[in-house]
Amino acid sequence: MSIDPLLLLQAYALGVFPMSDDRHAEDIYWVEPKKRAVLPLDAFHLSRSLAKTIRRDRFRVTANRAFPAIVALCAEAKEDRPSTWINGPIEEAYRHLHILRFAHSVEIWEGEELVGGLYGVALGRAFFGESMVSRRTDASKVALAWLVARMRFGGFTLLDCQFMTDHLRSLGAVEISQRDYLQLLGEAVADVPLGDGRAVLSAGSGGGAELAFDPLSGAAEAGKEGSPLAPVLTVSGPVSGQAIAQLLTQTS
């Protein structure tokens, strides 16, 4: 089965997202957790060792340059994870959303090798993290740190992590009730005209996502204004490991 992109965006706006039982399953089902993991953007926990890795630019970080590869890497089976919930229809749906400029990826490179990253959906001032992957120590942590910093620069207010894990908790994620989550979600997507039908699909994620991801994707940044952060971080915002670590340290 295929997932209509407008239906998928409307589901996110209601606090619902798709999953599958297995990588090779044909069906999907919709999930609305009673408890939701979110990562407050001013509470990312930057450990000394992670800050050191980021400042030294051990990895090269990009955005939206290898979206299909990141999704495929997240869907790969590993010894500690023999199967994933990312089946064919789900993978296809997010590739479609990426073409429509709603789904975004952060890629972590070691040389020319893709060694980690994450992907998710941006809607209004919310980013819905779908999956992240690490093939090197700290690769997924670096991706999440860059995501948080770029989201702050883009004026986002909600980073949805879906389900709590020890990994996310160690980085500052907290678990909140469905009621509290829906309140945060409503505020974050209040300005998204999803009621306008398919016309909304032509707009993409909007200016916040452009501010957040375009500098890392190589897209032109000229004329972008309105960042909530100090101009000392430059027009395109923090795009070096040193700047990312400095920004996160301000509130960590």
Side-chain angles (χ1 to χ4, degrees):
M1 62 177 298
S2 61
I3 307 174
D4 179 82
L6 181 59
L7 174 63
L8 185 51
L9 294 175
Q10 290 171 332
Y12 275 113
L14 295 173
V16 182
F17 55 88
M19 293 188 72
S20 177
D21 285 325
D22 184 81
R23 171 65 174 162
H24 302 291
E26 295 183 3
D27 296 332
I28 65 165
Y29 54 91
W30 298 93
V31 181
E32 186 179 17
K34 297 301 181 184
K35 294 286 186 178
R36 201 78 166 226
V38 300
L39 205 165
L41 298 180
D42 61 351
F44 182 83
H45 177 63
L46 186 68
S47 67
R48 289 183 179 179
S49 61
L50 181 57
K52 187 176 181 179
T53 297
I54 293 173
R55 286 192 178 99
R56 289 185 173 181
D57 287 316
R58 174 187 166 192
F59 300 109
R60 180 166 57 93
V61 184
T62 61
N64 292 330
R65 292 192 188 179
F67 184 88
I70 280 293
V71 178
L73 199 63
C74 287
E76 275 186 6
K78 298 291 289 183
E79 290 184 4
D80 61 343
R81 189 181 62 175
S83 185
T84 72
W85 54 269
I86 306 172
N87 67 356
I90 287 176
E91 186 171 1
E92 179 183 0
Y94 288 99
R95 288 188 181 189
H96 194 178
L97 280 188
H98 177 64
I99 293 172
L100 293 170
R101 296 175 294 132
F102 284 98
H104 304 274
S105 59
V106 175
E107 302 99 14
I108 305 299
W109 305 84
E110 191 172 64
E112 296 302 312
E113 182 181 1
L114 184 63
V115 297
L118 57 84
Y119 76 94
V121 174
L123 188 65
R125 292 178 294 155
F127 186 87
F128 307 91
E130 279 299 313
S131 188
M132 58 184 179
V133 62
S134 186
R135 293 292 184 263
R136 296 290 188 276
T137 301
D138 287 341
S140 63
K141 292 182 180 180
V142 171
L144 192 58
W146 278 76
L147 174 68
V148 169
R150 296 308 309 180
M151 284 181 62
R152 290 185 59 197
F153 185 78
F156 285 78
T157 60
L158 174 63
L159 174 50
D160 176 14
C161 301
Q162 297 182 347
F163 300 109
M164 180 63 79
T165 66
D166 291 340
H167 179 64
L168 289 170
R169 185 179 285 108
S170 72
L171 294 170
V174 296
E175 199 170 47
I176 61 176
S177 68
Q178 181 185 35
R179 178 179 178 180
D180 288 343
Y181 172 77
L182 290 176
Q183 180 175 347
L184 293 174
L185 175 62
E187 295 169 355
V189 301
D191 296 329
V192 180
L194 286 172
D196 288 352
R198 294 189 175 275
V200 72
L201 296 178
S202 62
S205 295
E210 291 177 0
L211 282 169
F213 300 111
D214 279 6
L216 297 182
S217 69
E221 188 65 10
K224 301 290 196 310
E225 297 179 353
S227 167
L229 301 183
V232 71
L233 292 172
T234 77
V235 175
S236 61
V239 291
S240 72
Q242 183 66 35
I244 290 291
Q246 180 182 355
L247 173 62
L248 294 175
T249 302
Q250 290 174 2
T251 55
S252 295

